[in-house]
Amino acid sequence: MLLAVGPASGQDKGFINDYPTSARADYVFGCMAVNGQTRNALERCSCSIDLIASIITYDEYVGAETVLMVVQKGGENTSIFRTSPLMRNKVDILRRAQAEAEIRCF
């Protein structure tokens, strides 16, 4: 794990960078698909994932993304992911981090 300090963290002290490069790149590609294939979008999307990484751990990120993917598929077997307070909490944590990133980066 790397110790990183940067403007995206919004902190004077470092944070543990536990997001793999491939996860960051995947986020940026998806973000740019929605926000445009421009240099400005690249910078804003990169800022966004950096900020999310400074707020929640990679394990929290993966957990929330997994819940969202399962719920998106739909079906009877996914009801536990839609109704469980634990699963909703995982998604809420990610949504709060995304909202903060939206405010600060876009």
Side-chain angles (χ1 to χ4, degrees), residues 1 13 18 21 24-25 48 53 55 57-58 83 94 99 101 104-105:
M1 291 187 191
K13 53 186 161 177
D18 64 347
T21 302
R24 289 177 185 264
S48 181
I55 296 171
T57 67
Y58 182 63
T83 60
L94 175 60
R104 293 174 66 183
C105 298

Side-chain angles (χ1 to χ4, degrees), residues 5-70:
V5 179
S9 71
Q11 303 170 359
D12 291 328
K13 53 186 161 177
F15 62 94
I16 296 176
N17 176 356
D18 64 347
Y19 282 52
T21 302
S22 60
R24 289 177 185 264
D26 188 48
Y27 180 93
V28 170
F29 286 139
C31 177
M32 288 180 69
V34 172
N35 293 293
Q37 304 292 328
T38 65
R39 177 69 184 182
N40 187 40
L42 171 65
E43 290 172 8
R44 290 174 187 265
C45 293
S46 297
C47 171
S48 181
I49 190 60
D50 288 346
L51 189 60
I52 290 168
S54 76
I55 296 171
I56 64 174
T57 67
Y58 182 63
D59 287 342
E60 290 171 320
Y61 177 80
V62 169
E65 285 290 315
T66 301
V67 171
L68 290 170
M69 283 190 286
V70 169

Side-chain angles (χ1 to χ4, degrees), residues 64-87:
E65 285 290 315
T66 301
V67 171
L68 290 170
M69 283 190 286
V70 169
V71 168
Q72 191 174 36
K73 291 190 185 235
E76 195 175 302
N77 295 333
T78 64
S79 65
I80 187 131
F81 289 92
R82 288 190 308 271
T83 60
S84 165
L86 177 63
M87 299 300 164

